[in-house]
Short mmCIF file of all heavy atoms in Angstrom, two decimals:
data_model
loop_
_atom_site.label_atom_id
_atom_site.label_comp_id
_atom_site.label_asym_id
_atom_site.label_seq_id
_atom_site.Cartn_x
_atom_site.Cartn_y
_atom_site.Cartn_z
N LEU A 75 126.16 103.34 77.95
CA LEU A 75 126.80 104.62 77.72
C LEU A 75 127.07 104.84 76.25
O LEU A 75 127.39 103.91 75.52
CB LEU A 75 128.13 104.69 78.49
CG LEU A 75 127.97 104.97 79.97
CD1 LEU A 75 129.31 105.23 80.58
CD2 LEU A 75 127.06 106.16 80.22
N GLY A 172 136.41 83.82 71.02
CA GLY A 172 137.67 83.39 70.41
C GLY A 172 138.79 84.38 70.57
O GLY A 172 139.60 84.58 69.68
N PHE A 219 124.27 103.70 88.75
CA PHE A 219 123.49 102.85 87.85
C PHE A 219 124.30 101.59 87.54
O PHE A 219 125.53 101.60 87.64
CB PHE A 219 123.13 103.60 86.56
CG PHE A 219 124.30 104.27 85.91
CD1 PHE A 219 124.99 103.63 84.86
CD2 PHE A 219 124.74 105.53 86.30
CE1 PHE A 219 126.06 104.25 84.26
CE2 PHE A 219 125.82 106.14 85.70
CZ PHE A 219 126.49 105.49 84.66
N TRP A 222 126.77 97.70 82.21
CA TRP A 222 125.92 97.32 81.07
C TRP A 222 125.83 95.84 80.80
O TRP A 222 125.14 95.43 79.88
CB TRP A 222 126.27 98.11 79.83
CG TRP A 222 127.62 97.97 79.21
CD1 TRP A 222 128.80 98.23 79.79
CD2 TRP A 222 127.91 97.58 77.87
NE1 TRP A 222 129.82 98.03 78.90
CE2 TRP A 222 129.31 97.65 77.72
CE3 TRP A 222 127.13 97.20 76.77
CZ2 TRP A 222 129.94 97.33 76.52
CZ3 TRP A 222 127.77 96.90 75.59
CH2 TRP A 222 129.16 96.96 75.47
N GLY A 281 127.29 97.02 52.01
CA GLY A 281 128.39 96.23 52.54
C GLY A 281 128.82 96.60 53.95
O GLY A 281 129.67 95.95 54.53
N LYS A 282 128.23 97.63 54.52
CA LYS A 282 128.60 98.04 55.88
C LYS A 282 127.49 97.70 56.85
O LYS A 282 126.31 97.78 56.51
CB LYS A 282 128.83 99.56 55.92
CG LYS A 282 130.07 100.03 55.17
CD LYS A 282 131.19 100.31 56.15
CE LYS A 282 132.34 101.07 55.51
NZ LYS A 282 132.85 100.47 54.26
N LYS A 283 127.88 97.35 58.05
CA LYS A 283 126.91 97.05 59.09
C LYS A 283 125.92 98.20 59.25
O LYS A 283 126.32 99.36 59.32
CB LYS A 283 127.65 96.81 60.41
CG LYS A 283 126.76 96.61 61.60
CD LYS A 283 127.59 96.55 62.87
CE LYS A 283 126.72 96.67 64.10
NZ LYS A 283 127.50 96.69 65.34
N HIS A 328 120.09 82.62 55.67
CA HIS A 328 120.31 81.92 56.92
C HIS A 328 120.73 82.93 57.99
O HIS A 328 121.42 83.90 57.69
CB HIS A 328 121.39 80.84 56.75
CG HIS A 328 121.52 79.97 57.95
ND1 HIS A 328 122.55 80.10 58.85
CD2 HIS A 328 120.72 78.98 58.41
CE1 HIS A 328 122.38 79.20 59.81
NE2 HIS A 328 121.29 78.52 59.58
N LYS A 345 108.18 89.68 45.54
CA LYS A 345 107.61 88.82 44.50
C LYS A 345 107.54 87.39 44.96
O LYS A 345 106.54 86.69 44.75
CB LYS A 345 108.47 88.91 43.22
CG LYS A 345 108.33 90.20 42.44
CD LYS A 345 107.00 90.19 41.70
CE LYS A 345 106.95 91.30 40.64
NZ LYS A 345 107.89 91.06 39.55
N ASN A 386 117.39 76.28 59.13
CA ASN A 386 117.76 76.73 57.78
C ASN A 386 116.51 77.16 57.02
O ASN A 386 116.01 76.44 56.14
CB ASN A 386 118.51 75.62 57.05
CG ASN A 386 119.30 76.16 55.88
OD1 ASN A 386 118.91 77.16 55.29
ND2 ASN A 386 120.40 75.52 55.56
N VAL A 389 116.30 77.14 53.04
CA VAL A 389 116.07 75.84 52.43
C VAL A 389 114.60 75.43 52.60
O VAL A 389 113.99 74.88 51.68
CB VAL A 389 117.03 74.79 53.01
CG1 VAL A 389 116.62 73.39 52.59
CG2 VAL A 389 118.46 75.07 52.55
N ASP A 406 96.98 74.16 36.39
CA ASP A 406 97.01 74.26 34.93
C ASP A 406 96.66 72.93 34.25
O ASP A 406 96.85 72.78 33.06
CB ASP A 406 98.41 74.70 34.46
CG ASP A 406 98.57 76.20 34.54
OD1 ASP A 406 97.72 76.84 35.17
OD2 ASP A 406 99.55 76.71 33.98
N ARG A 472 88.02 95.93 34.04
CA ARG A 472 89.36 95.56 34.43
C ARG A 472 90.18 96.79 34.84
O ARG A 472 90.91 96.78 35.83
CB ARG A 472 90.07 94.81 33.29
CG ARG A 472 91.42 94.24 33.72
CD ARG A 472 92.06 93.44 32.62
NE ARG A 472 92.37 94.29 31.48
CZ ARG A 472 92.71 93.82 30.27
NH1 ARG A 472 92.74 92.52 30.05
NH2 ARG A 472 92.99 94.66 29.28
N ASP A 484 92.82 86.63 33.64
CA ASP A 484 92.01 85.75 32.82
C ASP A 484 92.70 84.41 32.63
O ASP A 484 93.87 84.36 32.28
CB ASP A 484 91.75 86.39 31.45
CG ASP A 484 90.73 87.50 31.55
OD1 ASP A 484 90.02 87.56 32.57
OD2 ASP A 484 90.67 88.31 30.63
P U B 3 146.14 87.14 64.89
OP1 U B 3 146.92 85.93 65.22
OP2 U B 3 146.12 87.66 63.50
"O5'" U B 3 144.64 86.90 65.35
"C5'" U B 3 144.35 86.36 66.63
"C4'" U B 3 142.87 86.37 66.87
"O4'" U B 3 142.38 87.74 66.83
"C3'" U B 3 142.05 85.68 65.79
"O3'" U B 3 142.03 84.28 65.95
"C2'" U B 3 140.68 86.31 66.02
"O2'" U B 3 140.04 85.78 67.15
"C1'" U B 3 141.07 87.76 66.29
N1 U B 3 141.06 88.59 65.07
C2 U B 3 139.82 89.05 64.62
O2 U B 3 138.78 88.79 65.18
N3 U B 3 139.87 89.82 63.49
C4 U B 3 141.01 90.18 62.77
O4 U B 3 140.88 90.88 61.78
C5 U B 3 142.24 89.65 63.29
C6 U B 3 142.21 88.90 64.40
P A B 14 122.32 82.50 52.66
OP1 A B 14 122.15 82.76 54.11
OP2 A B 14 123.65 82.63 52.04
"O5'" A B 14 121.71 81.07 52.38
"C5'" A B 14 122.54 79.95 52.38
"C4'" A B 14 121.71 78.77 51.93
"O4'" A B 14 121.34 78.95 50.55
"C3'" A B 14 122.48 77.46 51.95
"O3'" A B 14 122.39 76.90 53.25
"C2'" A B 14 121.73 76.64 50.92
"O2'" A B 14 120.53 76.12 51.45
"C1'" A B 14 121.39 77.71 49.88
N9 A B 14 122.37 77.80 48.79
C8 A B 14 123.19 78.85 48.49
N7 A B 14 123.95 78.65 47.43
C5 A B 14 123.60 77.37 47.03
C6 A B 14 124.04 76.58 45.96
N6 A B 14 124.97 76.97 45.09
N1 A B 14 123.49 75.34 45.83
C2 A B 14 122.57 74.96 46.72
N3 A B 14 122.07 75.62 47.76
C4 A B 14 122.64 76.84 47.85
P G B 15 123.68 76.33 53.93
OP1 G B 15 123.28 75.77 55.23
OP2 G B 15 124.75 77.35 53.87
"O5'" G B 15 124.07 75.13 52.95
"C5'" G B 15 123.15 74.05 52.75
"C4'" G B 15 123.60 73.22 51.59
"O4'" G B 15 123.58 74.01 50.38
"C3'" G B 15 125.04 72.71 51.68
"O3'" G B 15 125.04 71.49 52.40
"C2'" G B 15 125.41 72.50 50.22
"O2'" G B 15 124.88 71.28 49.71
"C1'" G B 15 124.67 73.65 49.54
N9 G B 15 125.48 74.85 49.30
C8 G B 15 125.55 75.96 50.10
N7 G B 15 126.30 76.91 49.61
C5 G B 15 126.75 76.41 48.40
C6 G B 15 127.60 76.99 47.42
O6 G B 15 128.12 78.11 47.41
N1 G B 15 127.81 76.12 46.35
C2 G B 15 127.27 74.87 46.23
N2 G B 15 127.60 74.19 45.14
N3 G B 15 126.47 74.32 47.14
C4 G B 15 126.26 75.13 48.20
P G B 22 116.22 74.63 41.32
OP1 G B 22 115.18 73.73 40.79
OP2 G B 22 117.09 75.40 40.42
"O5'" G B 22 115.55 75.64 42.34
"C5'" G B 22 114.52 75.22 43.22
"C4'" G B 22 114.19 76.34 44.17
"O4'" G B 22 115.34 76.63 45.01
"C3'" G B 22 113.88 77.67 43.50
"O3'" G B 22 112.56 77.73 43.01
"C2'" G B 22 114.12 78.63 44.66
"O2'" G B 22 113.09 78.56 45.61
"C1'" G B 22 115.41 78.03 45.25
N9 G B 22 116.58 78.58 44.56
C8 G B 22 117.31 77.97 43.57
N7 G B 22 118.29 78.71 43.13
C5 G B 22 118.20 79.88 43.86
C6 G B 22 119.00 81.06 43.83
O6 G B 22 119.98 81.31 43.11
N1 G B 22 118.56 82.01 44.75
C2 G B 22 117.50 81.85 45.59
N2 G B 22 117.23 82.86 46.39
N3 G B 22 116.74 80.75 45.65
C4 G B 22 117.16 79.82 44.76
P A B 25 110.52 88.88 38.40
OP1 A B 25 109.52 89.96 38.32
OP2 A B 25 110.19 87.52 37.94
"O5'" A B 25 111.85 89.33 37.63
"C5'" A B 25 112.36 90.65 37.80
"C4'" A B 25 113.65 90.80 37.03
"O4'" A B 25 114.63 89.87 37.54
"C3'" A B 25 113.58 90.50 35.55
"O3'" A B 25 113.05 91.58 34.82
"C2'" A B 25 115.05 90.25 35.24
"O2'" A B 25 115.77 91.45 35.16
"C1'" A B 25 115.49 89.47 36.48
N9 A B 25 115.36 88.03 36.27
C8 A B 25 114.38 87.19 36.74
N7 A B 25 114.54 85.93 36.37
C5 A B 25 115.70 85.96 35.60
C6 A B 25 116.42 84.96 34.91
N6 A B 25 116.03 83.68 34.89
N1 A B 25 117.52 85.32 34.23
C2 A B 25 117.89 86.60 34.26
N3 A B 25 117.32 87.64 34.87
C4 A B 25 116.22 87.24 35.53
P G B 33 90.59 84.49 22.98
OP1 G B 33 89.16 84.73 23.23
OP2 G B 33 91.02 83.37 22.11
"O5'" G B 33 91.24 85.83 22.42
"C5'" G B 33 91.26 86.08 21.01
"C4'" G B 33 91.40 87.55 20.78
"O4'" G B 33 90.23 88.24 21.27
"C3'" G B 33 92.54 88.23 21.53
"O3'" G B 33 93.77 88.05 20.84
"C2'" G B 33 92.09 89.68 21.56
"O2'" G B 33 92.32 90.32 20.33
"C1'" G B 33 90.58 89.51 21.77
N9 G B 33 90.19 89.60 23.17
C8 G B 33 89.71 88.60 23.98
N7 G B 33 89.42 89.02 25.19
C5 G B 33 89.72 90.36 25.17
C6 G B 33 89.59 91.34 26.19
O6 G B 33 89.20 91.21 27.34
N1 G B 33 90.01 92.60 25.74
C2 G B 33 90.48 92.87 24.51
N2 G B 33 90.83 94.12 24.27
N3 G B 33 90.59 91.98 23.53
C4 G B 33 90.20 90.75 23.93
P C B 34 95.02 87.65 21.64
OP1 C B 34 96.06 87.35 20.63
OP2 C B 34 94.67 86.65 22.66
"O5'" C B 34 95.42 89.01 22.37
"C5'" C B 34 95.79 90.15 21.59
"C4'" C B 34 95.87 91.37 22.47
"O4'" C B 34 94.56 91.63 23.04
"C3'" C B 34 96.76 91.25 23.69
"O3'" C B 34 98.13 91.42 23.38
"C2'" C B 34 96.24 92.39 24.56
"O2'" C B 34 96.69 93.64 24.12
"C1'" C B 34 94.73 92.28 24.30
N1 C B 34 94.05 91.48 25.34
C2 C B 34 93.80 92.09 26.57
O2 C B 34 94.15 93.26 26.73
N3 C B 34 93.18 91.38 27.54
C4 C B 34 92.82 90.11 27.32
N4 C B 34 92.22 89.47 28.31
C5 C B 34 93.08 89.47 26.07
C6 C B 34 93.69 90.18 25.12
P A B 35 99.21 90.55 24.16
OP1 A B 35 100.51 90.97 23.60
OP2 A B 35 98.81 89.13 24.13
"O5'" A B 35 99.09 91.07 25.65
"C5'" A B 35 99.60 92.36 25.99
"C4'" A B 35 99.18 92.73 27.39
"O4'" A B 35 97.75 92.63 27.52
"C3'" A B 35 99.71 91.83 28.50
"O3'" A B 35 101.05 92.11 28.83
"C2'" A B 35 98.76 92.21 29.63
"O2'" A B 35 99.06 93.47 30.19
"C1'" A B 35 97.44 92.32 28.87
N9 A B 35 96.70 91.05 28.91
C8 A B 35 96.61 90.08 27.94
N7 A B 35 95.88 89.04 28.29
C5 A B 35 95.48 89.34 29.58
C6 A B 35 94.69 88.66 30.52
N6 A B 35 94.13 87.46 30.28
N1 A B 35 94.47 89.24 31.71
C2 A B 35 95.03 90.43 31.95
N3 A B 35 95.80 91.18 31.15
C4 A B 35 95.97 90.57 29.97
P A B 36 101.99 90.94 29.32
OP1 A B 36 103.35 91.51 29.42
OP2 A B 36 101.75 89.74 28.49
"O5'" A B 36 101.46 90.62 30.79
"C5'" A B 36 101.61 91.59 31.82
"C4'" A B 36 100.78 91.19 33.00
"O4'" A B 36 99.40 91.04 32.58
"C3'" A B 36 101.11 89.83 33.61
"O3'" A B 36 102.21 89.91 34.50
"C2'" A B 36 99.82 89.51 34.33
"O2'" A B 36 99.67 90.27 35.51
"C1'" A B 36 98.79 89.99 33.30
N9 A B 36 98.44 88.92 32.36
C8 A B 36 98.88 88.74 31.08
N7 A B 36 98.39 87.67 30.48
C5 A B 36 97.57 87.12 31.45
C6 A B 36 96.75 85.98 31.46
N6 A B 36 96.63 85.16 30.41
N1 A B 36 96.07 85.70 32.58
C2 A B 36 96.20 86.52 33.63
N3 A B 36 96.92 87.63 33.75
C4 A B 36 97.59 87.88 32.62
P A B 38 103.23 83.93 38.06
OP1 A B 38 103.74 83.75 39.43
OP2 A B 38 104.13 84.40 36.98
"O5'" A B 38 102.58 82.57 37.56
"C5'" A B 38 101.70 81.84 38.42
"C4'" A B 38 101.10 80.69 37.65
"O4'" A B 38 100.27 81.19 36.58
"C3'" A B 38 102.12 79.80 36.96
"O3'" A B 38 102.68 78.85 37.84
"C2'" A B 38 101.26 79.16 35.88
"O2'" A B 38 100.41 78.17 36.43
"C1'" A B 38 100.40 80.36 35.45
N9 A B 38 101.03 81.12 34.37
C8 A B 38 101.78 82.28 34.49
N7 A B 38 102.23 82.75 33.36
C5 A B 38 101.75 81.85 32.42
C6 A B 38 101.87 81.79 31.03
N6 A B 38 102.54 82.70 30.30
N1 A B 38 101.29 80.76 30.38
C2 A B 38 100.60 79.85 31.10
N3 A B 38 100.41 79.80 32.42
C4 A B 38 101.01 80.84 33.03
P C B 39 104.16 78.37 37.64
OP1 C B 39 104.52 77.57 38.83
OP2 C B 39 105.01 79.53 37.25
"O5'" C B 39 104.05 77.42 36.38
"C5'" C B 39 103.26 76.23 36.44
"C4'" C B 39 103.14 75.63 35.07
"O4'" C B 39 102.44 76.58 34.20
"C3'" C B 39 104.46 75.41 34.35
"O3'" C B 39 105.08 74.19 34.75
"C2'" C B 39 104.02 75.38 32.90
"O2'" C B 39 103.38 74.17 32.58
"C1'" C B 39 102.99 76.51 32.89
N1 C B 39 103.59 77.83 32.58
C2 C B 39 103.82 78.16 31.23
O2 C B 39 103.52 77.35 30.35
N3 C B 39 104.37 79.36 30.93
C4 C B 39 104.69 80.22 31.91
N4 C B 39 105.22 81.39 31.56
C5 C B 39 104.47 79.90 33.28
C6 C B 39 103.93 78.71 33.56
P G B 67 134.65 96.84 53.68
OP1 G B 67 133.88 98.09 53.57
OP2 G B 67 136.11 96.88 53.92
"O5'" G B 67 134.01 95.93 54.82
"C5'" G B 67 132.62 95.67 54.80
"C4'" G B 67 132.29 94.56 55.73
"O4'" G B 67 133.09 93.39 55.44
"C3'" G B 67 132.58 94.81 57.20
"O3'" G B 67 131.60 95.64 57.78
"C2'" G B 67 132.54 93.39 57.75
"O2'" G B 67 131.21 92.93 57.86
"C1'" G B 67 133.22 92.62 56.63
N9 G B 67 134.66 92.39 56.89
C8 G B 67 135.73 93.01 56.30
N7 G B 67 136.87 92.56 56.73
C5 G B 67 136.54 91.59 57.67
C6 G B 67 137.36 90.75 58.47
O6 G B 67 138.58 90.69 58.53
N1 G B 67 136.59 89.92 59.29
C2 G B 67 135.22 89.90 59.32
N2 G B 67 134.67 89.03 60.17
N3 G B 67 134.44 90.66 58.57
C4 G B 67 135.17 91.47 57.78
P C B 69 131.17 95.96 64.58
OP1 C B 69 129.97 96.52 65.23
OP2 C B 69 132.07 96.83 63.80
"O5'" C B 69 132.05 95.22 65.67
"C5'" C B 69 131.44 94.32 66.59
"C4'" C B 69 132.50 93.48 67.25
"O4'" C B 69 133.24 92.75 66.23
"C3'" C B 69 133.61 94.25 67.96
"O3'" C B 69 133.20 94.73 69.23
"C2'" C B 69 134.69 93.19 68.04
"O2'" C B 69 134.37 92.22 69.00
"C1'" C B 69 134.59 92.57 66.65
N1 C B 69 135.48 93.26 65.69
C2 C B 69 136.82 92.86 65.65
O2 C B 69 137.20 91.97 66.41
N3 C B 69 137.68 93.48 64.79
C4 C B 69 137.22 94.44 64.01
N4 C B 69 138.11 95.01 63.17
C5 C B 69 135.87 94.88 64.02
C6 C B 69 135.03 94.26 64.88
P A B 74 136.26 105.05 79.97
OP1 A B 74 135.56 106.07 80.77
OP2 A B 74 137.58 104.58 80.44
"O5'" A B 74 135.29 103.83 79.79
"C5'" A B 74 135.81 102.53 79.64
"C4'" A B 74 134.67 101.62 79.25
"O4'" A B 74 133.80 101.46 80.37
"C3'" A B 74 133.81 102.20 78.16
"O3'" A B 74 134.23 101.75 76.91
"C2'" A B 74 132.40 101.72 78.49
"O2'" A B 74 132.02 100.60 77.73
"C1'" A B 74 132.49 101.28 79.94
N9 A B 74 131.62 102.13 80.75
C8 A B 74 131.72 103.44 81.01
N7 A B 74 130.77 103.91 81.75
C5 A B 74 129.98 102.79 81.99
C6 A B 74 128.80 102.60 82.71
N6 A B 74 128.19 103.57 83.36
N1 A B 74 128.28 101.35 82.74
C2 A B 74 128.90 100.38 82.10
N3 A B 74 130.02 100.44 81.39
C4 A B 74 130.50 101.69 81.37
#
Side-chain angles (χ1 to χ4, degrees):
Chain A
L75 282 189
F219 50 96
W222 64 300
K282 291 259 193 308
K283 175 187 167 183
H328 188 257
K345 287 285 194 67
N386 199 330
V389 168
D406 277 13
R472 187 177 64 193
D484 285 343

